[in-house]
Amino acid sequence: MDNINYAIRYLVLNYPYKDELSKTRLTKMVYLADWKSAQKHHTQITNIKWRFYHFGPFVNDVFKAAQKDSKLLVLDDFSMYGTVKKVISIKGKQNEASLRLDKLTLRECSILDDIINETKYLNWSEFIDYVYDTYPIKTQRRYGILDLISLAGEEKYNR
């Protein structure tokens, strides 16, 4: 199993507002964790090859991993606009040991905690603005690959 599964499990277990963990929000939180890891440690937590789609970072890897993970559930819910959204949650009464979160390093857990703390009080609009304000999204063209490690070095050089 790839770190993507453990990162998803960690975020789903520890994020305080479970009904907000939609497919899109969770994907963007994993992106933020990979970006922060690239900035701080020149490596991503996951092996995702991020792409800049219509308005921001998006890949199907996160949702596909959540769908395949026997420890997670993907449920249909409704957004505040009345549209269907996919919400990812922990299946049953799982704990850190059963979720095998010890596969994440302390450094990775710290980054995931930072992302939770930086975003948990942001409404959807504020959250999206936060994501879109990252260097890769502000500087790269749509529909291209986002090489987060190279972009973190570029951002540091351009400061």
Side-chain angles (χ1 to χ4, degrees), residues 93-139:
K93 298 282 184 197
Q94 304 284 334
N95 59 30
E96 285 194 29
S98 67
L99 294 173
R100 312 241 357 233
L101 296 181
D102 59 331
K103 298 287 184 179
L104 294 168
T105 67
L106 290 175
R107 184 169 81 183
E108 291 166 338
C109 290
S110 176
I111 288 170
L112 292 164
D113 285 336
D114 287 347
I115 297 308
I116 290 169
N117 289 326
E118 291 167 10
T119 64
K120 66 184 175 185
Y121 296 121
L122 301 178
N123 66 36
W124 180 249
S125 180
E126 293 166 331
F127 176 74
I128 289 300
D129 288 346
Y130 184 83
V131 172
Y132 293 173
D133 196 42
T134 59
Y135 184 82
I137 302 307
K138 290 192 309 188
T139 63

Side-chain angles (χ1 to χ4, degrees), residues 66-81:
Q67 285 180 305
K68 291 178 185 176
D69 194 324
S70 65
K71 304 283 185 180
L72 299 175
L73 286 173
V74 177
L75 303 169
D76 286 339
D77 199 355
F78 293 94
S79 73
M80 60 190 253
Y81 305 108

Side-chain angles (χ1 to χ4, degrees), residues 4 21-32 34 46 48-67 85-86 88 124 127-128 131-132 134 136-137 140-148:
I4 186 172
L21 284 176
S22 67
K23 169 185 173 181
T24 305
R25 189 172 190 120
L26 185 60
T27 297
K28 291 184 185 332
M29 289 179 71
V30 174
Y31 159 78
L32 289 170
D34 275 348
T46 74
I48 293 173
K49 291 184 174 147
W50 290 98
R51 296 187 65 87
F52 186 158
Y53 279 104
H54 300 294
F55 300 106
F58 196 81
V59 292
N60 285 316
D61 303 42
V62 174
F63 186 64
K64 285 180 182 177
Q67 285 180 305
K85 69 177 182 177
K86 302 286 185 189
I88 294 85
W124 180 249
F127 176 74
I128 289 300
V131 172
Y132 293 173
T134 59
I137 302 307
Q140 300 303 294
R141 286 188 278 155
R142 289 182 181 170
Y143 311 109
I145 301 277
L146 298 172
D147 181 344
L148 299 186

